[in-house]
Amino acid sequence: MSQKTLLAALPLTKVAELEANLPCTCKIHFPDPNKLHCFQLTVTPDEGYYQGGKFQFETEVPDAYNMVPPKVKCLTRIWHPNITETGEICLSLLREHSIDGTGWAPTRTLKDVVWGLNSLFTDLLNFDDPLNIEAAEHHLRDKMRAAELILLGQRLCLSLTLHRGLPE
């Protein structure tokens, strides 16, 4: 499928529907309005360990969507059991193949992806099956210190964002 066909697969009505169904803690941004298959998502958790942080995700919808999941990467450096320091994300619905049946299916939507990413900061925060083993073990060993490191990391990211003049 060409990018032109892909744009037809993501018409403005689908984009508007996605924007209308965002959690209150999420914002979506299209850096290039001519490339609706590439967008950024900002998650600003309002509860839990990551409350008050701002986390950027880059999403690219591939040509084979919706037979395959979108490609998602976390752009914000974060100390999280389900996100590596290089931005890889452990979220079952982003897996093309899943043994437990919770992976990607053609019936899933971009709305499911957005809500899933948002949930990584609340109810899907998983210390028992981590991608970032060090972050999970640290949390299990010393919850208070892990919470302090998360908060310190958020402050550092905010400071770097403001210093560089990047959009928040």
Side-chain angles (χ1 to χ4, degrees), residues 27-89:
K27 290 184 181 173
I28 201 164
H29 171 67
F30 293 89
D32 183 342
N34 295 315
K35 294 182 179 178
L36 297 180
H37 63 284
C38 295
F39 62 89
Q40 292 182 348
L41 174 73
T42 302
V43 178
T44 309
D46 60 3
E47 61 180 276
Y49 288 117
Y50 299 93
Q51 181 177 4
K54 282 191 176 188
F55 306 98
Q56 299 279 333
F57 294 88
E58 181 178 72
T59 303
E60 184 173 337
V61 181
D63 287 348
Y65 178 81
N66 70 344
M67 297 307 290
V68 298
K71 306 290 182 212
V72 182
K73 182 176 182 173
C74 184
L75 301 177
T76 306
R77 200 155 173 199
I78 182 174
W79 188 245
H80 192 291
N82 309 114
I83 302 172
T84 66
E85 291 185 49
T86 58
E88 296 172 84
I89 301 164

Side-chain angles (χ1 to χ4, degrees), residues 3-163:
Q3 290 301 331
K4 192 172 187 175
T5 306
L6 182 60
L7 286 175
L10 289 175
L12 287 175
T13 54
K14 290 290 183 191
V15 171
E17 180 182 320
L18 175 63
E19 289 178 317
N21 290 296
L22 290 175
C24 64
T25 54
C26 294
K27 290 184 181 173
I28 201 164
H29 171 67
F30 293 89
D32 183 342
N34 295 315
K35 294 182 179 178
L36 297 180
H37 63 284
C38 295
F39 62 89
Q40 292 182 348
L41 174 73
T42 302
V43 178
T44 309
D46 60 3
E47 61 180 276
Y49 288 117
Y50 299 93
Q51 181 177 4
K54 282 191 176 188
F55 306 98
Q56 299 279 333
F57 294 88
E58 181 178 72
T59 303
E60 184 173 337
V61 181
D63 287 348
Y65 178 81
N66 70 344
M67 297 307 290
V68 298
K71 306 290 182 212
V72 182
K73 182 176 182 173
C74 184
L75 301 177
T76 306
R77 200 155 173 199
I78 182 174
W79 188 245
H80 192 291
N82 309 114
I83 302 172
T84 66
E85 291 185 49
T86 58
E88 296 172 84
I89 301 164
C90 179
L91 182 61
S92 61
L93 68 88
L94 292 176
R95 288 189 213 138
E96 195 167 339
H97 304 287
S98 176
I99 295 171
D100 63 4
T102 60
W104 187 257
T107 55
R108 297 222 186 246
T109 65
L110 292 173
K111 181 180 116 182
D112 297 325
V113 172
V114 169
W115 281 84
L117 292 169
N118 185 63
S119 294
L120 282 177
F121 298 98
T122 56
D123 56 325
L124 290 182
L125 182 60
N126 187 349
F127 294 99
D128 298 323
D129 185 23
L131 182 59
N132 184 340
I133 295 168
E134 188 178 352
E137 287 177 348
H138 191 220
H139 175 267
L140 295 172
R141 196 173 49 248
D142 187 351
K143 288 180 178 60
M144 296 257 312
R145 181 69 180 133
E148 289 172 4
L149 282 175
I150 290 167
L151 185 58
L152 181 63
Q154 288 173 204
R155 287 183 180 151
L156 180 60
C157 281
L158 178 61
S159 174
L160 289 173
T161 299
L162 293 175
H163 179 69

